[in-house]
Amino acid sequence: MKQVEEQRTKTFQSEVKNTGIVINYRATLVPTESGEEVANVYGTIVKDNKNVGSVSYDKAADRQHTSFEPFSATTSKEKQAVSPVAASDVAEIILNK
């Protein structure tokens, strides 16, 4: 057996102020010639200990996506509050690895 790809995972957590919402991130790092880079980021959006949505970023497609479960009991204001936090969190994860 041979190792095909080496990667490691880092985890992060962020709180969306005044909402009770927490985002738990998992970033997958892959080696490069100059160190390592973030290949993708996946975040679970949690409210009242229930998963209510997710955030994902894929470097290959250079695309970020945020989604909420259809009956997640999150208000439109809470959803609007999550988007800028998630965007800044993902950017910070990519820059700081």
Side-chain angles (χ1 to χ4, degrees):
M1 178 168 50
K2 66 178 181 175
Q3 184 173 345
V4 179
E5 181 180 25
E6 180 182 326
Q7 62 183 27
R8 65 187 192 104
T9 304
K10 281 188 171 182
T11 57
F12 304 89
Q13 186 177 65
S14 181
E15 184 179 333
V16 181
K17 297 214 185 289
N18 303 318
T19 63
I21 294 175
V22 173
I23 309 173
N24 297 307
Y25 296 99
R26 184 180 67 247
T28 303
L29 306 168
V30 293
T32 63
E33 289 180 10
S34 60
E36 60 186 7
E37 69 181 11
V38 175
N40 59 57
V41 177
Y42 181 79
T44 305
I45 302 168
V46 179
K47 178 182 177 187
D48 299 328
N49 294 321
K50 294 181 184 168
N51 292 349
V52 295
S54 64
V55 177
S56 61
Y57 167 80
D58 180 47
K59 183 180 186 325
D62 194 25
R63 184 167 299 170
Q64 180 174 331
H65 180 71
T66 302
S67 63
F68 290 88
E69 299 295 329
F71 301 102
S72 64
T74 50
T75 66
S76 61
K77 283 188 177 187
E78 289 171 332
K79 291 177 184 178
Q80 289 173 352
V82 165
S83 293
V85 171
S88 108
D89 287 347
V90 168
E92 185 177 338
I93 290 168
I94 292 167
L95 287 174
N96 296 325
K97 301 184 226 56

